[in-house]
Amino acid sequence: MSGKENLSITDLGTLKALAHPLRMQLYRGLCVARTATASQLAEQVDEAVSLVSYHLRKLAEHGLIETAEPQSGDARERWWQPAAQSVSIRDKDFRDAPERAAAHLAATRLFLDQRAAMYRRYLDERLTWGAEWNSAAPDNESLLRLTAGELAELAAELLELARKYDEKGRAAEAAGDTEGRENVALHVYGFPFRT
């Protein structure tokens, strides 16, 4: 994976490039695989290789992914990797114009729908994961009384904690500790509400 830790998306073109259902699915799949070819990703999303290649090039045009070192001897294969370890899209960067705010809202809704679909799939497949994974998988709701500043502080701490565990897991895997290691999605939402 690229050495860049975070890519902050602030321009509308890049946001729209990522906020396409298939592109986001491909991007997420590439983040999980770390490196992959269009053929490998096409198999995951059940789409034609030519269509997947087109969408990967669009993601690359916007700096979201980049070519990776070949992982096989086949020179015809083009390998891809995420351009950064993480991507951030902040509301404050899209509030300056109605069309930018609308695009950010549409993207956020797409991401939520895809995350909810991932969780629904886990729920549908829960019995196949076994007791250990089901006991370990959190399903929490906390109703807090905070200021906006405190919520921002909590979000930063949770992100840092998630990064710590990601680094720990990747280091263990690189050292050969792969037994029982699975991909894990951690979705965290914090938002104000009134009763």
Side-chain angles (χ1 to χ4, degrees):
M1 188 174 289
S2 173
K4 195 185 303 184
E5 187 170 317
N6 183 60
L7 174 65
S8 182
I9 297 176
T10 59
D11 68 285
L12 195 55
T14 304
L15 176 66
K16 286 182 175 181
L18 186 60
H20 178 284
L22 180 56
R23 287 183 199 150
M24 187 60 214
Q25 202 175 355
L26 294 170
Y27 182 79
R28 187 176 281 119
L30 194 55
C31 287
V32 170
R34 300 186 191 149
T35 60
T37 64
S39 297
Q40 291 168 336
L41 292 169
E43 194 172 303
Q44 284 181 22
V45 298
D46 196 27
E47 294 288 352
V49 175
S50 59
L51 179 65
V52 168
S53 292
Y54 168 79
H55 286 295
L56 289 172
R57 286 192 305 273
K58 288 295 178 190
L59 290 169
E61 284 173 20
H62 289 278
L64 294 160
I65 66 172
E66 60 193 16
T67 56
E69 290 294 319
Q71 307 293 309
S72 69
D74 188 347
R76 296 171 297 163
E77 287 185 320
R78 187 173 192 181
W79 288 81
W80 297 98
Q81 66 184 10
Q85 292 177 21
S86 65
V87 169
S88 61
I89 306 167
R90 292 184 293 275
D91 175 70
K92 71 181 182 76
D93 294 324
F94 293 93
R95 285 187 165 222
D96 58 342
E99 69 275 6
R100 288 173 53 81
H104 180 254
L105 178 59
T108 303
R109 287 181 185 277
L110 168 72
F111 303 152
L112 172 64
D113 290 345
Q114 288 188 343
R115 290 172 187 154
M118 288 175 72
Y119 188 57
R120 276 192 295 276
R121 181 176 172 191
Y122 160 72
L123 292 175
D124 292 344
E125 298 173 353
R126 181 181 270 177
L127 292 176
T128 67
W129 282 101
E132 186 179 21
W133 276 105
N134 286 306
S135 294
D139 180 359
N140 304 319
E141 180 177 353
S142 300
L143 302 175
L144 312 174
R145 189 86 176 141
L146 305 174
T147 65
E150 290 166 342
L151 179 56
E153 185 179 337
L154 174 60
E157 286 182 30
L158 289 171
L159 182 59
E160 190 56 41
L161 185 61
R163 282 188 181 138
K164 172 187 157 189
Y165 274 87
D166 183 41
E167 290 169 7
K168 180 180 176 180
R170 288 179 191 269
E173 189 172 47
D177 178 8
T178 58
E179 182 69 29
R181 198 165 297 284
E182 299 283 352
N183 297 312
V184 172
L186 178 66
H187 301 158
V188 177
Y189 302 99
F191 53 89
F193 70 96
R194 293 187 176 113
T195 57

